[in-house]
Amino acid sequence: MLRWLTAGESHGPELIAVLEGLPAGVPVSLDGIREDLARRKLGYGRGSRMKFEQDELHLSGGVVQGVSIGGPVAIRIGNTEWPKWTEVMSAERTELSEKSRGRGAPLTRPRPGHADLTGMQKYGFAESRPVLERASARETAARVALGAVARAFLSELGIALVSHTVSLGTVEAPAGGPLPRPDDVAALDADPLRCFDGGTSARMVAEVDDTKKSGDTIGGIVEVLVYGLPPGLGSYVHWDRRLDSRLAGALMGIQAIKAVEVGDGFETTRRRGSEAHDALRIEDGTIVRDTGRAGGIEGGMTTGQVLRVRAGMKPIATVPHALPTVDVATGEETKAHHQRSDVSAVPAAGVVAEAMTALVIADAVTEKFGGDSVAETRRNLEAYLAAIPERLSTAREV
Ligand SMILES: Cc1cc2nc3c(=O)[nH]c(=O)nc-3n(C[C@H](O)[C@H](O)[C@H](O)COP(=O)(O)O)c2cc1C
Ligand SMILES: C=C(O[C@@H]1CC(C(=O)O)=C[C@@H](OP(=O)(O)O)[C@H]1O)C(=O)O
């Protein structure tokens, strides 16, 4: 079993992440984690903070000489914005000096679409600073760092992930086009929207420009694909062991994700049963499926086909043409707080979705195959595959 936790605020000193249950012997490189952190900052339409803030990465435990040693992996990511916030966000009671008064002014105009108002009601705050500090998607940097470690573990077992943007607002990549593969990651990261279709990407860039010009924001859909999976991760025997349920929870747990689809998802509901499933046939003595409509999951278990999940992100809630709200200090109707924000963070959400998927799959792998060292996990995986009778065998899609 893998467990993970994150802590830290958007303008606090640092984010902290812990991953417990990782077998020993997984190669973990600081550069590998840094690369994923850098990928999370990519994407046309992100706000100015992505340019001036650096992620300062520290590995504080669980990795020695570039290899995991079986203990909890502890990661710190320093917020380089911190020096501006030392008084306002101080853990100790601190009088604000003149220079911090503006920054520390109470936020009493809650932003619709954010956790602000309900968070104040729920936790008993008179202003929204303590709410937004933790609700912010700055926290996704910690999850991406954990996801990089999970991905390193999966890679040792021949399992690889890739994510891409399939739509931005109403601009959609053509349905039925070729799916990206793990070796397309560099090309996807080089694309302004992380879209696999060049023509669609150019239209997405124009859509971001148009949205920005009109003082608005935009959402979209990302897809995560996982290659090299064995059949049988997850289970049908209980709802909380179903892999689709665990993936949906993990993806829905990303800030601003409002919809999740497995395989053809909602499209499947519009089809007749004869056109909705993945029929089986024999090829060279092996069972094959010619379609991947179910997204590589049947009965809450991986089938060994490419796993395909989608997450839908709502438009950024801090709209530059600020939305109507109420000033909770005066009781008067007014406009919401707005300083800066992303026009779209859809490409970044793809990288975060990839990290969450890697963590869920790595958890399911440790559950099924165990292993205190990655060599033991690999042996158990190979023995399981070898024990599947020939008449039941399927090809593992890599
Ligand atoms: C990578 C990423 C970046 C985000 N950037 C912003 C942003 O700049 N402005 C904003 O209003 N919301 C942003 N969000 C979304 C908010 O954090 C989120 O909508 C808010 O916390 C309320 O949570 P909910 O939408 O899940 O209900 C971002 C989300 C992600 C995943
Ligand atoms: C800092 C990050 O994203 C932030 C997520 C976010 C939100 O409301 O979720 C709002 C913005 O923060 P700020 O208002 O300070 O500019 C984003 O920049 C990050 O992704 O590293």
Side-chain angles (χ1 to χ4, degrees):
M1 184 179 78
L2 273 189
R3 297 182 285 176
W4 57 89
L5 273 179
T6 72
E9 280 72 46
S10 180
H11 300 99
E14 62 201 11
L15 298 168
I16 293 180
V18 177
L19 181 65
E20 200 281 321
L22 186 74
V26 177
V28 177
S29 88
L30 279 162
D31 282 347
I33 301 175
R34 271 192 206 104
E35 259 172 44
D36 272 5
L37 289 173
R39 296 173 62 231
R40 194 195 65 93
K41 291 179 167 245
L42 295 173
Y44 194 66
R46 291 219 71 186
S48 54
R49 188 167 165 188
M50 288 310 98
K51 296 198 180 71
F52 56 73
E53 184 155 58
Q54 304 302 312
D55 295 316
E56 277 179 348
L57 178 68
H58 307 269
L59 255 178
S60 315
V63 179
V64 176
Q65 298 290 331
V67 179
S68 65
I69 57 167
V73 175
I75 298 173
R76 286 193 295 127
I77 303 169
N79 292 332
T80 54
E81 282 270 82
W82 171 240
K84 299 182 203 155
W85 292 89
T86 49
E87 291 183 8
V88 175
M89 292 296 292
S90 167
E92 283 188 299
R93 195 157 192 91
T94 305
E95 281 299 312
L96 297 192
S97 66
E98 194 56 40
K99 75 172 170 45
S100 294
R101 293 238 167 90
R103 206 177 285 281
L107 300 176
T108 57
R109 290 181 282 139
R111 300 159 307 163
H114 277 276
D116 297 6
L117 178 60
T118 312
M120 288 157 72
Q121 293 170 329
K122 180 174 166 67
Y123 288 92
F125 299 127
E127 59 123 355
S128 60
R129 168 69 58 200
V131 178
L132 70 86
E133 283 291 341
R134 182 61 192 161
S136 164
R138 170 75 194 139
E139 182 265 349
T140 59
R143 295 200 239 173
V144 166
L146 295 176
V149 178
R151 186 213 297 277
F153 169 52
L154 294 174
S155 149
E156 291 297 295
L157 305 169
I159 300 169
L161 295 93
V162 60
S163 69
H164 62 131
T165 304
V166 294
S167 71
L168 188 90
T170 55
V171 182
E172 289 177 50
L179 294 177
R181 297 188 40 80
D183 29 342
D184 293 315
V185 169
L188 281 166
D189 288 346
D191 184 84
L193 271 308
R194 304 197 70 255
C195 178
F196 200 46
D197 183 81
T200 311
S201 173
R203 287 193 292 127
M204 287 176 174
V205 167
E207 187 69 9
V208 171
D209 289 341
D210 188 57
T211 306
K212 189 170 182 181
K213 218 181 288 160
S214 54
D216 220 325
T217 61
I218 197 162
I221 301 175
V222 295
E223 183 171 72
V224 183
L225 305 155
V226 190
Y227 290 79
L229 289 165
L233 297 181
S235 179
Y236 57 89
V237 300
H238 205 253
W239 69 267
D240 54 354
R241 287 164 57 107
R242 295 179 67 100
L243 194 70
D244 40 7
S245 141
R246 289 151 67 175
L247 284 167
L251 294 173
M252 201 59 108
I254 301 169
Q255 291 84 340
I257 297 302
K258 296 296 141 195
V260 175
E261 277 190 333
V262 178
D264 287 354
F266 286 105
E267 187 56 36
T268 302
T269 66
R270 290 185 274 272
R271 293 182 183 140
R272 294 273 169 99
S274 54
E275 296 296 317
H277 303 289
D278 302 308
L280 305 175
R281 65 179 181 82
I282 293 276
E283 188 175 292
D284 301 331
T286 301
I287 301 175
V288 292
R289 297 169 174 92
D290 291 324
T291 51
R293 293 160 174 157
I297 300 190
E298 284 177 343
M301 299 169 293
T302 53
T303 60
Q305 287 182 285
V306 176
L307 185 143
R308 191 162 57 84
V309 283
R310 289 181 169 202
M313 184 180 202
K314 75 184 190 184
I316 294 293
T318 311
V319 181
H321 265 178
L323 295 171
T325 189
V326 171
D327 189 326
V328 296
T330 63
E332 277 162 19
E333 290 180 355
T334 178
K335 292 282 173 150
H337 287 286
H338 180 267
Q339 272 187 315
R340 62 180 179 208
S341 70
D342 301 330
V343 176
S344 147
V346 174
V351 175
V352 182
E354 201 180 303
M356 292 311 293
T357 304
L359 285 161
V360 171
I361 300 288
D363 180 35
V365 164
T366 56
E367 174 187 279
K368 173 118 185 77
F369 302 112
D372 294 310
S373 69
V374 70
E376 190 181 359
T377 312
R378 195 182 299 114
R379 272 200 308 276
N380 295 345
L381 165 64
E382 284 166 5
Y384 160 75
L385 292 174
I388 294 177
E390 222 172 293
R391 287 233 184 138
L392 294 181
S393 74
T394 49
R396 204 169 148 195
E397 264 188 64
V398 288

mmCIF file of all heavy atoms in Angstrom, residues 1-22:
data_model
loop_
_atom_site.group_PDB
_atom_site.id
_atom_site.type_symbol
_atom_site.label_atom_id
_atom_site.label_comp_id
_atom_site.label_asym_id
_atom_site.label_seq_id
_atom_site.Cartn_x
_atom_site.Cartn_y
_atom_site.Cartn_z
ATOM 1 N N MET A 1 0.838 -1.197 0.000
ATOM 2 C CA MET A 1 0.000 0.000 0.000
ATOM 3 C C MET A 1 0.880 1.257 0.000
ATOM 4 O O MET A 1 1.858 1.323 0.714
ATOM 5 C CB MET A 1 -0.877 -0.004 1.259
ATOM 6 C CG MET A 1 -1.847 1.148 1.307
ATOM 7 S SD MET A 1 -2.913 1.135 2.763
ATOM 8 C CE MET A 1 -1.813 1.747 4.019
ATOM 9 N N LEU A 2 0.497 2.220 -0.849
ATOM 10 C CA LEU A 2 1.192 3.508 -0.860
ATOM 11 C C LEU A 2 0.292 4.539 -0.194
ATOM 12 O O LEU A 2 -0.912 4.540 -0.412
ATOM 13 C CB LEU A 2 1.403 3.979 -2.302
ATOM 14 C CG LEU A 2 2.610 3.553 -3.102
ATOM 15 C CD1 LEU A 2 2.647 4.352 -4.394
ATOM 16 C CD2 LEU A 2 3.899 3.754 -2.342
ATOM 17 N N ARG A 3 0.876 5.419 0.608
ATOM 18 C CA ARG A 3 0.105 6.523 1.191
ATOM 19 C C ARG A 3 0.854 7.805 0.891
ATOM 20 O O ARG A 3 2.083 7.808 0.825
ATOM 21 C CB ARG A 3 0.026 6.364 2.720
ATOM 22 C CG ARG A 3 -0.687 5.130 3.153
ATOM 23 C CD ARG A 3 -0.776 5.058 4.656
ATOM 24 N NE ARG A 3 0.501 4.682 5.248
ATOM 25 C CZ ARG A 3 0.712 4.617 6.561
ATOM 26 N NH1 ARG A 3 -0.233 4.963 7.401
ATOM 27 N NH2 ARG A 3 1.887 4.235 7.031
ATOM 28 N N TRP A 4 0.114 8.892 0.723
ATOM 29 C CA TRP A 4 0.800 10.166 0.517
ATOM 30 C C TRP A 4 -0.001 11.307 1.123
ATOM 31 O O TRP A 4 -1.223 11.252 1.234
ATOM 32 C CB TRP A 4 1.067 10.419 -0.965
ATOM 33 C CG TRP A 4 -0.150 10.414 -1.855
ATOM 34 C CD1 TRP A 4 -0.944 11.486 -2.168
ATOM 35 C CD2 TRP A 4 -0.705 9.291 -2.566
ATOM 36 N NE1 TRP A 4 -1.948 11.089 -3.026
ATOM 37 C CE2 TRP A 4 -1.832 9.753 -3.290
ATOM 38 C CE3 TRP A 4 -0.347 7.940 -2.668
ATOM 39 C CZ2 TRP A 4 -2.596 8.927 -4.092
ATOM 40 C CZ3 TRP A 4 -1.133 7.125 -3.460
ATOM 41 C CH2 TRP A 4 -2.232 7.608 -4.161
ATOM 42 N N LEU A 5 0.743 12.330 1.553
ATOM 43 C CA LEU A 5 0.156 13.519 2.173
ATOM 44 C C LEU A 5 0.916 14.742 1.678
ATOM 45 O O LEU A 5 2.119 14.655 1.422
ATOM 46 C CB LEU A 5 0.327 13.475 3.691
ATOM 47 C CG LEU A 5 -0.706 12.764 4.561
ATOM 48 C CD1 LEU A 5 -0.275 12.851 6.012
ATOM 49 C CD2 LEU A 5 -2.098 13.369 4.392
ATOM 50 N N THR A 6 0.204 15.864 1.589
ATOM 51 C CA THR A 6 0.898 17.124 1.317
ATOM 52 C C THR A 6 0.517 18.142 2.396
ATOM 53 O O THR A 6 -0.539 18.017 3.019
ATOM 54 C CB THR A 6 0.525 17.735 -0.054
ATOM 55 O OG1 THR A 6 -0.820 18.255 0.006
ATOM 56 C CG2 THR A 6 0.641 16.724 -1.181
ATOM 57 N N ALA A 7 1.391 19.132 2.602
ATOM 58 C CA ALA A 7 1.091 20.228 3.528
ATOM 59 C C ALA A 7 1.703 21.498 2.951
ATOM 60 O O ALA A 7 2.583 21.440 2.084
ATOM 61 C CB ALA A 7 1.692 19.935 4.905
ATOM 62 N N GLY A 8 1.235 22.633 3.431
ATOM 63 C CA GLY A 8 1.827 23.909 3.016
ATOM 64 C C GLY A 8 0.832 24.815 2.331
ATOM 65 O O GLY A 8 -0.185 24.346 1.804
ATOM 66 N N GLU A 9 1.133 26.111 2.355
ATOM 67 C CA GLU A 9 0.232 27.114 1.795
ATOM 68 C C GLU A 9 0.841 27.749 0.550
ATOM 69 O O GLU A 9 2.046 27.671 0.334
ATOM 70 C CB GLU A 9 -0.073 28.190 2.855
ATOM 71 C CG GLU A 9 -1.140 27.757 3.867
ATOM 72 C CD GLU A 9 -0.642 26.708 4.851
ATOM 73 O OE1 GLU A 9 0.475 26.892 5.373
ATOM 74 O OE2 GLU A 9 -1.349 25.702 5.082
ATOM 75 N N SER A 10 -0.015 28.409 -0.204
ATOM 76 C CA SER A 10 0.420 29.012 -1.467
ATOM 77 C C SER A 10 1.539 30.030 -1.250
ATOM 78 O O SER A 10 2.487 30.093 -2.027
ATOM 79 C CB SER A 10 -0.779 29.683 -2.138
ATOM 80 O OG SER A 10 -0.393 30.260 -3.350
ATOM 81 N N HIS A 11 1.418 30.857 -0.185
ATOM 82 C CA HIS A 11 2.448 31.864 0.075
ATOM 83 C C HIS A 11 3.207 31.577 1.371
ATOM 84 O O HIS A 11 3.774 32.476 1.982
ATOM 85 C CB HIS A 11 1.825 33.266 0.110
ATOM 86 C CG HIS A 11 1.152 33.633 -1.172
ATOM 87 N ND1 HIS A 11 -0.212 33.537 -1.350
ATOM 88 C CD2 HIS A 11 1.650 34.053 -2.357
ATOM 89 C CE1 HIS A 11 -0.512 33.901 -2.583
ATOM 90 N NE2 HIS A 11 0.591 34.216 -3.217
ATOM 91 N N GLY A 12 3.201 30.326 1.799
ATOM 92 C CA GLY A 12 3.981 29.923 2.968
ATOM 93 C C GLY A 12 5.422 29.680 2.560
ATOM 94 O O GLY A 12 5.799 29.865 1.400
ATOM 95 N N PRO A 13 6.265 29.245 3.513
ATOM 96 C CA PRO A 13 7.685 29.055 3.185
ATOM 97 C C PRO A 13 7.925 27.927 2.178
ATOM 98 O O PRO A 13 8.852 27.998 1.368
ATOM 99 C CB PRO A 13 8.322 28.718 4.534
ATOM 100 C CG PRO A 13 7.198 28.358 5.456
ATOM 101 C CD PRO A 13 5.974 29.026 4.937
ATOM 102 N N GLU A 14 7.100 26.870 2.264
ATOM 103 C CA GLU A 14 7.372 25.713 1.399
ATOM 104 C C GLU A 14 6.175 24.770 1.396
ATOM 105 O O GLU A 14 5.291 24.842 2.253
ATOM 106 C CB GLU A 14 8.593 24.944 1.913
ATOM 107 C CG GLU A 14 8.378 24.391 3.318
ATOM 108 C CD GLU A 14 9.679 24.077 4.043
ATOM 109 O OE1 GLU A 14 10.750 24.468 3.557
ATOM 110 O OE2 GLU A 14 9.609 23.450 5.113
ATOM 111 N N LEU A 15 6.184 23.871 0.417
ATOM 112 C CA LEU A 15 5.236 22.755 0.388
ATOM 113 C C LEU A 15 5.989 21.514 0.867
ATOM 114 O O LEU A 15 7.191 21.393 0.612
ATOM 115 C CB LEU A 15 4.733 22.512 -1.033
ATOM 116 C CG LEU A 15 3.970 23.673 -1.675
ATOM 117 C CD1 LEU A 15 3.795 23.428 -3.162
ATOM 118 C CD2 LEU A 15 2.609 23.854 -1.003
ATOM 119 N N ILE A 16 5.267 20.627 1.529
ATOM 120 C CA ILE A 16 5.889 19.402 2.025
ATOM 121 C C ILE A 16 5.071 18.220 1.521
ATOM 122 O O ILE A 16 3.831 18.273 1.543
ATOM 123 C CB ILE A 16 5.947 19.426 3.567
ATOM 124 C CG1 ILE A 16 6.928 20.526 3.999
ATOM 125 C CG2 ILE A 16 6.356 18.073 4.139
ATOM 126 C CD1 ILE A 16 7.120 20.693 5.460
ATOM 127 N N ALA A 17 5.745 17.174 1.069
ATOM 128 C CA ALA A 17 5.035 15.995 0.573
ATOM 129 C C ALA A 17 5.739 14.746 1.097
ATOM 130 O O ALA A 17 6.973 14.704 1.167
ATOM 131 C CB ALA A 17 5.046 15.985 -0.957
ATOM 132 N N VAL A 18 4.945 13.763 1.479
ATOM 133 C CA VAL A 18 5.510 12.497 1.970
ATOM 134 C C VAL A 18 4.837 11.338 1.231
ATOM 135 O O VAL A 18 3.612 11.319 1.077
ATOM 136 C CB VAL A 18 5.295 12.343 3.494
ATOM 137 C CG1 VAL A 18 5.815 10.991 3.980
ATOM 138 C CG2 VAL A 18 5.986 13.465 4.263
ATOM 139 N N LEU A 19 5.661 10.408 0.765
ATOM 140 C CA LEU A 19 5.163 9.194 0.109
ATOM 141 C C LEU A 19 5.651 8.002 0.920
ATOM 142 O O LEU A 19 6.858 7.786 1.059
ATOM 143 C CB LEU A 19 5.720 9.121 -1.316
ATOM 144 C CG LEU A 19 5.303 7.929 -2.168
ATOM 145 C CD1 LEU A 19 3.804 7.947 -2.466
ATOM 146 C CD2 LEU A 19 6.077 7.925 -3.488
ATOM 147 N N GLU A 20 4.703 7.236 1.457
ATOM 148 C CA GLU A 20 5.066 6.105 2.314
ATOM 149 C C GLU A 20 4.663 4.808 1.631
ATOM 150 O O GLU A 20 3.575 4.711 1.058
ATOM 151 C CB GLU A 20 4.347 6.250 3.665
ATOM 152 C CG GLU A 20 4.966 5.452 4.800
ATOM 153 C CD GLU A 20 4.602 3.972 4.798
ATOM 154 O OE1 GLU A 20 3.429 3.645 4.492
ATOM 155 O OE2 GLU A 20 5.482 3.146 5.080
ATOM 156 N N GLY A 21 5.556 3.820 1.678
ATOM 157 C CA GLY A 21 5.233 2.512 1.106
ATOM 158 C C GLY A 21 5.979 2.212 -0.183
ATOM 159 O O GLY A 21 5.757 1.161 -0.783
ATOM 160 N N LEU A 22 6.861 3.138 -0.600
ATOM 161 C CA LEU A 22 7.620 2.903 -1.841
ATOM 162 C C LEU A 22 8.686 1.842 -1.585
ATOM 163 O O LEU A 22 9.468 1.967 -0.642
ATOM 164 C CB LEU A 22 8.286 4.213 -2.295
ATOM 165 C CG LEU A 22 8.995 4.155 -3.643
ATOM 166 C CD1 LEU A 22 7.969 4.131 -4.773
ATOM 167 C CD2 LEU A 22 9.941 5.340 -3.820
#
